[in-house]
Amino acid sequence: MERNSVNRYRLPVPENLLERIDKTSSPAHVGKLRNAIDFLVPENTPVLAAANGIVTYVKDDSNIGGSNPAYWNYTNFIVIMHANGEYSRYDHLTYRSSRVKVHQAVTKGQEIAEVGMTGYTFRPHLHSQVFIYIGTNFWMDFDTISVQDFG
Ligand SMILES: [Zn+2]
């Protein structure tokens, strides 16, 4: 599905710590993840909520990761639900760095976690995507959205 996001999203990391944005280098940015964005930043950079919303998922109990696809399921991540059914997701977070809990309301720019190296990742960065659900399976039934002003 191609559509422009109806919400306005801010950069999910502090601008002064952003090395660069990379949309295409990751071998994972294909298929339904084609609109995902990697924000290259130092480890432990604060992760910021891209828009107001409600936290719907938090995983921060993983402490392993690296440049092997075997680490795919070990990413720590947070999902936030926004207005009009859009969600944002933040991956590779540092072990036990989440500052938020499920059902918590967050505001745009609020610090929610730290950038880490959990899951399948070659270097410290924040993997992020805006998406919608297109079915009922949390892991499979989603599609990412192209967001013009998301970084
Ligand atoms: Zn990525």
Side-chain angles (χ1 to χ4, degrees), residues 3-5 8-9 23 37 145-151:
R3 72 174 197 180
N4 286 319
S5 173
R8 297 205 42 100
Y9 296 96
K23 300 182 180 182
I37 301 175
I145 295 169
S146 174
V147 180
Q148 302 303 324
D149 54 348
F150 187 46

Side-chain angles (χ1 to χ4, degrees), residues 9-52:
Y9 296 96
R10 62 150 291 149
L11 198 63
V13 291
E15 191 166 13
N16 62 319
L17 295 175
L18 179 63
E19 203 174 302
R20 65 189 168 86
I21 290 172
D22 187 340
K23 300 182 180 182
T24 57
S25 294
S26 170
H29 291 193
V30 294
K32 61 181 69 173
L33 293 180
R34 70 196 175 285
N35 293 310
I37 301 175
D38 287 335
F39 299 89
L40 307 189
V41 290
E43 197 155 9
N44 303 122
T45 291
V47 176
L48 311 177
N52 294 348

Side-chain angles (χ1 to χ4, degrees), residues 26 28-29 36-38 92 125-128:
S26 170
H29 291 193
I37 301 175
D38 287 335
H92 310 305
H125 74 283
L126 175 68
H127 167 107
S128 196

Side-chain angles (χ1 to χ4, degrees), residues 134-147:
I134 54 175
T136 55
N137 185 301
F138 176 84
W139 300 102
M140 298 299 298
D141 297 340
F142 69 90
D143 198 15
T144 55
I145 295 169
S146 174
V147 180

